[in-house]
Amino acid sequence: MTNTLDYKTVSSENVTNWFKAAPVTAFPANGGACVLYRGKQIAVFNFTRRDEWYACQNLCPHKQQMILSRGMIGSEQDEPKVACPFHKRAFSLQSGKCLNADECAIATYPVKIEEGYVYIGFDEA
Amino acid sequence: MRHIVVIGNGMVGYKFCEKLRKLADPTQVAITVFGEECRPAYDRVHLSEYFSDQNADKLTLAPARWYEEQNIQLHTGELIAWIDRRNKTVETHRGKTLSYDQLVIATGSSAFVPPIPGTDKRGVFVYRTIEDLEAIIAYGKKMRSAAVLGGGLLGLEAAKAMVDMGLETHVVEFASRLMPRQLDEVGARTLQTRIEELGIQVHLNKNTQAISGNGKLDALRFADESNLPVDMLVISAGIRPRDELGRSARLDIGPRGGIVVNDAMQTSDPAIYAIGEVALHQDIIYGLVAPGYDMAEVAARHLVGDIEKNFSGDDMSTKLKLMGVDVASFGDAFGAKSEHNAIVFEDKAKGVYKRINISADGKRLLGGMLVGDAEAYNMLLQTMQNGMALPPNPEDLILGSRGGETSGAGLDSLPDEAQICSCEAVTKGMICEAVLTGEAQSVKEIKACTKAGTGCGGCMPMVSDLFDLAQAKMGKRVRKTLCEHFNYTRQELLDIIQVKEIKSYDTLLNEYGTGDGCEVCKPAVASILASLWNELVTQQDTIQDTNDRFLANIQRGGTYSVVPRIPGGEITPDKLIVIGQVAKKYDLYTKITGGQRIDLFGAHLHQLPDIWEELIAAGFESGHAYGKSLRTVKSCVGSAWCRYGLHDSVSFAIEVEDRYKGLRSPHKLKGAVSGCARECAEAQSKDFGIIATDKGWNLYVCGNGGIKPQHALLLAQDVDKETCIKYIDRFLMFYIKTAETLTRTAPWLNKLEGGIDYLRDVVVNDCLGIGEQLEQEMQRTLAVYRCEWKEVVNNPELRAKFTHFINSEATDPAVQFDEMRGQKVPAKW
Ligand SMILES: Cc1cc2nc3c(=O)[nH]c(=O)nc-3n(C[C@H](O)[C@H](O)[C@H](O)COP(=O)(O)OP(=O)(O)OC[C@H]3O[C@@H](n4cnc5c(N)ncnc54)[C@H](O)[C@@H]3O)c2cc1C
Ligand code: SF4
Ligand code: FES
């Protein structure tokens, strides 16, 4: 079983490898999709309303479910967040912190858009 | 740096770590914890829940990662065997030694096993840890009957677990009544009657002398020479503090066990503290978690030099649900400690007993007990603890005020020091202040900033009432607005959407909201849009809950279940065969639902369109099991076959189900039609239920199952089919337009001023003059119905959304299945 410890936040300074995930058009507006990268599952969100993109682990730490990409996104006091479809634990898309319970934080990843493609930043090859 | 070692990682030991870390960061104090059990501290109070799902994670108080984050060294599965006070070290059972500056003993207690010959036989258990429960479950699988030794609080809880395991269950008690420490004769008898209704056999006045059996037990033998043959036994005869470390280290120990502590929780060695069930404070061992948490707080503060707060003892007030029966006991429950007058209320028919003890001068409440109905508990406890003045007729306290006063009035008169949340020691003043200063804008924020309600949760109803009270004090109308993004109630939003003919969530948010929306307002608005315009939910899929977004019900593990519509529960053999073939082809778990249809579980996201393509080809339609919408209209077989049937209930059920299929509403809707008063379709438990009479049909509304079941009420009598449908149209539309989000019809009716009589005035007598309008609105909504799945199956663009990965064809490798009775089920979480 995958473990939430397998996912570690990557900050944009530490990116060594920008992974070309999929064309922008493949992602729903104001919603997410799941990207597979070397056995890891990354949830990527197209936050059209804010004109922003976010990526985080797909694994919800509450019940270890690979699901966050299917969660609803939104904001809490201007902090962008995603809510898990199972029990509505909500996580900040910026810091990864759980906003409404005592779950541990989720890992987040930098995203960039170039020539119509979505890239996710990793610090491992 | 100072090093504090904690022995025991149970409920209180954990709470201590949490409190100490809040007061001292890792640069000031290093914390090391040893726990004998193999997992981090878990919630023993809710241990019995382990029986239902065997999920240890759910009970965990904080995962190992929390200790890491808090910089606390946690060693699970490691026992402290020895304390060397002179050198200030502890030694583990593996022989490792570690020095400490201060030591906290939180070793709890163990189950007390009375010295009866035969307790070592196979089939004899205690009830304290997850491992105990695992052993009981494994052994109980092959057994037929079980006895619990001890009719106290824990014993009865264990007995409930035995019943749930399907065993013939006996409770054996030495005293002449159940729960002798909390209840008097009448209270205990009331409880006993309710428990016996569950099929548990209670044996009182039984002095167990031996446990017989060859290797494994087969019977209990009592002093009166009688026998009770059973296959297994759970001993629950009290607790013994685990003071062995204190004894070997020569700390002061009480005559009947327990490590003696002072008001600061220090033992006879000031560098060693003891807290929780192992600590003996003024000759009392507290076998409850709330006093333990208090002790943890006192010790943590004392250790950082705050000597203000002392442990002054707690009372043993408790409220719990035993086998679905509320039982509470508080303060001086027997009135044994002083002169008093008791007020007693007993309702034998309902199995309710209440007793309160009033001081001789009639001014104060001393204590009491409640069996069968403990709703008054919180208020009574507050009244007692704060020495509040009693109402002129103190019996109002247990009978409820008969003048129609609300409970809020009582709350208002509570002093600010009144402790509302005893787990976290939060007072009324702290809660009100958080609201009045604007720090907490919602009940949720009260929880976050004061921690009230984060322990056992028992105080949440009061916290929520206090929130409303404080809001009202600030002159705020208590108005249930949707969330931070919309300062409107659901009904106001519905009006806006209808009048302005708004069709999309984004438009609404731009014009009437703020921020970017959230998981509360998105599906709520989606539901309103669907109720009013009935456009396909797939057009705005990302504002839907996952079930509506993918038109299937998400299940553990992330797979989905598929429910084709089977109107009225009628299905041909050919269609049954197709369902069977599809289930087989896609390896789906199948189960008949409570609503007379067939649920196919375990489909991967990408399989859903293929599955539906086959179902639709065979003539099926979406069953909307995923939506807040009409589910099923259940039917009995009715006059077509049944010798009692008055009318054709199946045809009517099919007609009604086809009429309302796809109708979106604030919550799910269920209906039923029965062919006569025998009511085989259980129509009186549905949102709308129709029962044949010799003159026509009776229409019942607002019945709900679920957490708080409620019977439906009669709306119209002996009406013909057309009238019946007209009334349902009006009723459903009225509900859809006025209910709050996620409110089912029963709670909606409960809040509707005037209740069922008013509803009848609106629907039948048309007192608001909106009858026709409601019917037309229903017509318009129903007219645009389309099967959502047909739409997806035939639209490649929509179909493409059903994949787990956006950049790979692979199925989700995290999905795993086990096997159960020949079918697959998701792996446990
Ligand atoms: C089935 C059940 C239902 C209950 N229901 C309620 C209820 O409804 N309300 C209520 O208030 N209370 C209830 N209780 C009581 C409540 O669980 C206890 O009061 C609470 O757990 C006490 O906490 P503690 O930390 O003192 O002891 P524990 O939770 O027992 O923790 C002590 C821990 O220390 C470990 N330990 C012992 N010795 C050593 C050693 N030498 N080295 C290392 N570790 C050691 C033990 O293995 C244990 O894990 C219930 C208890 C049970 C068993
Ligand atoms: S409700 Fe009446 S008609 Fe329907 S099956 Fe039962 S007995 Fe027969
Ligand atoms: S699995 Fe995500 S909230 Fe429970």
Side-chain angles (χ1 to χ4, degrees), chain A residues 60 62-63 65 84 86-89:
Chain A
C60 177
H62 176 224
K63 293 286 173 191
Q65 300 284 302
C84 176
F86 275 107
H87 314 94
K88 297 281 154 64
R89 302 287 194 272

Side-chain angles (χ1 to χ4, degrees), chain B residues 186-243:
Chain B
V186 189
R189 203 166 356 96
T190 310
L191 177 64
Q192 186 175 344
T193 313
R194 301 270 305 242
I195 285 174
E196 283 169 343
E197 279 164 14
L198 296 172
I200 294 178
Q201 299 175 43
V202 179
H203 309 265
L204 301 173
N205 298 311
K206 289 288 178 196
N207 180 358
T208 310
Q209 292 223 301
I211 294 168
S212 66
N214 181 9
K216 76 182 202 339
L217 100 155
D218 55 24
L220 303 185
R221 279 217 319 274
F222 304 120
D224 60 10
E225 310 231 309
S226 60
N227 270 317
L228 177 65
V230 279
D231 299 330
M232 62 190 286
L233 174 69
V234 176
I235 297 182
S236 177
I239 54 173
R240 270 289 141 92
R242 294 197 51 184
D243 54 16

Side-chain angles (χ1 to χ4, degrees), chain B residues 515-785:
Chain B
D516 304 309
C518 68
E519 70 281 5
V520 173
C521 59
K522 284 182 172 182
V525 170
S527 155
I528 298 175
L529 291 169
S531 293
L532 290 177
W533 318 123
N534 210 0
E535 285 178 352
L536 287 171
V537 295
T538 46
Q539 287 173 2
Q540 297 180 59
D541 61 340
T542 53
I543 59 166
Q544 314 284 349
D545 260 319
T546 183
N547 285 5
D548 266 315
R549 178 168 172 195
F550 296 110
L551 305 173
N553 294 38
I554 195 163
Q555 307 290 352
R556 280 177 176 216
T559 63
Y560 290 83
S561 73
V562 170
V563 188
R565 185 166 296 290
I566 301 179
E570 182 185 77
I571 186 165
T572 61
D574 283 336
K575 278 190 156 176
L576 269 179
I577 289 171
V578 172
I579 290 187
Q581 281 166 339
V582 168
K584 209 158 182 181
K585 174 162 169 192
Y586 294 94
D587 187 20
L588 305 175
Y589 165 97
T590 52
K591 180 174 188 315
I592 313 267
T593 70
Q596 300 187 333
R597 34 194 202 175
I598 299 171
D599 204 339
L600 312 169
F601 291 82
H604 286 277
L605 194 53
H606 70 269
Q607 292 177 323
L608 290 172
D610 299 342
I611 291 172
W612 274 104
E613 188 164 10
E614 296 190 26
L615 290 171
I616 286 168
F620 285 103
E621 289 186 295
S622 167
H624 297 97
Y626 44 80
K628 302 291 174 232
S629 57
L630 179 82
R631 296 287 170 84
T632 67
V633 179
K634 190 172 173 180
S635 73
C636 75
V637 72
S639 61
W641 289 89
C642 175
R643 62 196 160 122
Y644 298 113
L646 295 171
H647 310 305
D648 183 356
S649 46
V650 178
S651 299
F652 199 15
I654 295 175
E655 187 182 327
V656 176
E657 182 160 343
D658 276 334
R659 179 175 182 80
Y660 300 111
K661 68 187 174 194
L663 178 68
R664 304 272 161 165
S665 45
H667 212 305
K668 62 186 169 193
L669 288 171
K670 297 179 174 182
V673 185
S674 278
C676 82
R678 285 171 190 76
E679 248 282 71
C680 297
E682 298 167 331
Q684 289 168 93
S685 64
K686 305 293 186 217
D687 297 285
F688 56 94
I690 305 168
I691 301 175
T693 67
D694 46 3
K695 299 195 200 69
W697 305 89
N698 281 352
L699 174 59
Y700 290 81
V701 293
C702 301
N704 286 172
I707 300 176
K708 233 183 150 193
Q710 190 168 320
H711 277 300
L713 298 172
L714 184 64
L715 185 72
Q717 215 163 353
D718 296 326
V719 291
D720 59 22
K721 267 190 178 180
E722 290 65 43
T723 316
C724 191
I725 288 186
K726 180 166 91 178
Y727 290 164
I728 303 177
D729 275 5
R730 290 179 179 184
F731 157 67
L732 288 179
M733 217 34 175
F734 188 53
Y735 159 68
I736 288 172
K737 296 185 75 162
T738 59
E740 277 163 20
T741 302
L742 297 180
T743 305
R744 288 202 63 184
T745 55
W748 167 72
L749 181 67
N750 297 347
K751 280 200 190 154
L752 196 66
E753 227 164 283
I756 184 74
D757 293 329
Y758 174 67
L759 183 61
R760 191 177 300 109
D761 267 350
V762 174
V763 171
V764 178
N765 307 330
D766 198 8
C767 69
L768 300 179
I770 56 170
E772 217 161 295
Q773 182 200 337
L774 292 173
E775 284 168 56
Q776 280 165 7
E777 279 165 359
M778 180 63 85
Q779 267 310 328
R780 264 199 308 270
T781 306
L782 298 179
V784 291
Y785 165 82

Side-chain angles (χ1 to χ4, degrees), chain A residues 5 21 26 29-30 32 34-36 41 49-50 63 65-67 70 72-75 77 81 85-86 88, chain B residues 58 65 484-485 509-510 515-517 519 522 542 545 549 554-555 557-558 560 804-807 812 814 829:
Chain A
L5 295 172
N30 288 311
C34 180
V35 168
L36 181 64
Q41 300 197 18
R49 195 181 154 77
R50 299 166 68 112
K63 293 286 173 191
Q65 300 284 302
M66 279 298 182
I67 201 67
R70 295 182 220 163
M72 257 181 277
I73 54 173
S75 65
Q77 316 295 346
K81 63 170 181 176
F86 275 107
K88 297 281 154 64
Chain B
K58 222 160 85 184
R65 173 139 167 192
E484 66 172 74
H485 306 104
L509 187 59
N510 287 339
D516 304 309
E519 70 281 5
K522 284 182 172 182
T542 53
D545 260 319
R549 178 168 172 195
I554 195 163
Q555 307 290 352
Y560 290 83
H804 183 69
F805 293 116
I806 198 169
N807 63 336
D812 178 3
W829 65 17

Side-chain angles (χ1 to χ4, degrees), chain B residues 253-320:
Chain B
I253 303 288
R256 273 169 296 133
I259 301 178
V260 176
V261 293
N262 63 15
D263 289 352
M265 307 322 295
Q266 281 167 309
T267 66
S268 49
D269 176 343
I272 303 183
Y273 293 67
I275 55 178
E277 282 188 351
V278 73
L280 183 70
H281 180 259
Q282 295 188 351
D283 286 334
I284 302 179
I285 294 279
Y286 289 92
L288 295 171
V289 70
Y293 282 5
D294 256 357
M295 296 179 187
E297 166 99 24
V298 171
R301 289 215 200 175
H302 205 259
L303 278 161
V304 297
D306 170 1
I307 51 170
E308 287 287 293
K309 198 173 151 82
N310 276 330
F311 183 76
S312 50
D314 242 315
D315 70 6
M316 294 278 206
S317 302
T318 34
K319 173 183 155 189
L320 61 158

